[in-house]
Amino acid sequence: MTQTQASSPSRRSLIGWGGAGLALGAAAAGGAVAMAKTGDDADPAAAGTGGAVEFHGAHQAGIATPVQDRLHFAAFDVKTEDRAEFVRMLKDWTAAARRMTAGEPVGEGAYGGLAEAPPDDTGEALGLKPSRLTLTIGFGPSFFEKFGLSDKRPAALADLPAFPGDNLDKSRTGGDLCVQACADDPQVAVHAIRNLARIGFGKVAIRWSQLGFGKTSSTTPDAQTPRNLMGFKDGTRNIAGTETDRLKKFVWVGDGDVDDNAAWMTGGSYLVARRIRMNIETWDRSSLQEQEDVFGRDKREGAPVGKAKEHDEPFLKAMKPDAHVRLAHPDSNGGITILRRGYSFTDGTDGLGRLDAGLFFLAYQRDVRKGFIPLQRKLSAHDALNEYIQHVGSAVFAVPPGVRDSGDWWGRTLFSEEA
């Protein structure tokens, strides 16, 4: 798909960028099967390795899309008070995202323009395939305090309460808006966030960001379930991107979910992002039996207690009362179901010789008040896994519906009076 020069961001809007330092991944994820598909995430069709995911659709790509191997997630603070300037940035971001997800450079590219001006594209993705890049935008609760939008904040975008055991780092918490970049090549994901931050210079600035690798949940039926850094399979019963009925029931905001002021969210979803640090060294000294008791599954097959295969229906009462699977299962929570697409992370050490590593948890749902909040309340109070983890970063965002066509843009339903 080719974006015309007329709708590309101007060179003036691209001068400079206000992001924090970025660590560029050195190796591309290999062997991934790319999916060429619509933005509403239905019926993915096989494409060439490194292929493109369709940017347009009723829902944003990057939610039910088959999970890519790499992540660069960034939360931004809004710096401008000029509504028109911010809307112009959203349109420029959309034009850039449309090009980058198709494997094309931003604007006029990384070279060949005026020697006296910065190029339109930073250039580190030159020669790389699209790598199934998806870009997903969301607006945080604090965003609605700006531009006179307080009455547009959906009730389902609830502030997360303080949960027992939380030790949140303010520098890794919150944000006016977010962009989730997922790809099978880490450099493609980093390039996307870098260029959006550069386009947004003076209007937004990165508040915090997170690199992730090794997807810890799958949205693809029959795919091998990935393992987290504790060595256990994660996301066995996750919602698949082809389960349209479950997506409609648990993920997508419906017409009847919002009042007139928040009707702009119809077709969107709500995202909870949590940075969960794992006490790796303590876990690694625990016995195999204790590890399996904590999760309620065996480590080899991922089978629930007393069963032979991973996907066998679990008998929850056979697990210990504080087993993670037993407490998190929909049958233990009145049917609560969320769509997970988290990633592992390692960010050096904590200065005391311990790895700063864990899970960057990402979960989409139809209503935060009926999804993550009641589920986390139970887990934070009773889960045996709490001995080995701690939530250290947190944010929640309203993710609007997809960009319908070449004339549409991120956030149009929120900002356009006719919507």
Side-chain angles (χ1 to χ4, degrees), residues 27-98:
V33 177
M35 314 300 270
K37 51 197 299 304
T38 60
D40 63 5
D41 306 315
D43 298 326
T49 300
V53 174
E54 174 60 52
F55 180 70
H56 298 129
H59 311 293
Q60 288 194 64
I63 301 176
T65 305
V67 184
Q68 305 91 322
D69 191 59
R70 301 288 181 143
L71 167 80
H72 192 188
F73 187 96
F76 294 81
D77 286 332
V78 174
K79 297 301 184 182
T80 182
E81 296 180 357
D82 187 327
R83 176 183 172 123
E85 182 180 49
F86 183 78
V87 167
R88 179 68 259 172
M89 187 206 75
L90 288 178
K91 293 179 179 180
D92 289 345
W93 268 17
T94 306
R98 188 180 283 117

Side-chain angles (χ1 to χ4, degrees), residues 194-211:
R194 179 181 178 183
N195 279 271
L196 294 181
R198 189 170 186 262
I199 293 168
F201 178 71
K203 297 171 279 291
V204 296
I206 291 181
R207 179 182 179 91
W208 56 270
S209 68
Q210 181 68 58
L211 294 172

Side-chain angles (χ1 to χ4, degrees), residues 32-37 47-53 65-70 101 129-135 181-185 188 215 220 341:
V33 177
M35 314 300 270
K37 51 197 299 304
T49 300
V53 174
T65 305
V67 184
Q68 305 91 322
D69 191 59
R70 301 288 181 143
T101 55
K129 295 179 180 180
S131 300
R132 294 196 300 135
L133 172 68
T134 56
L135 293 167
C182 298
D184 288 325
D185 186 324
V188 170
K215 61 187 179 185
T220 307
R341 50 180 301 133

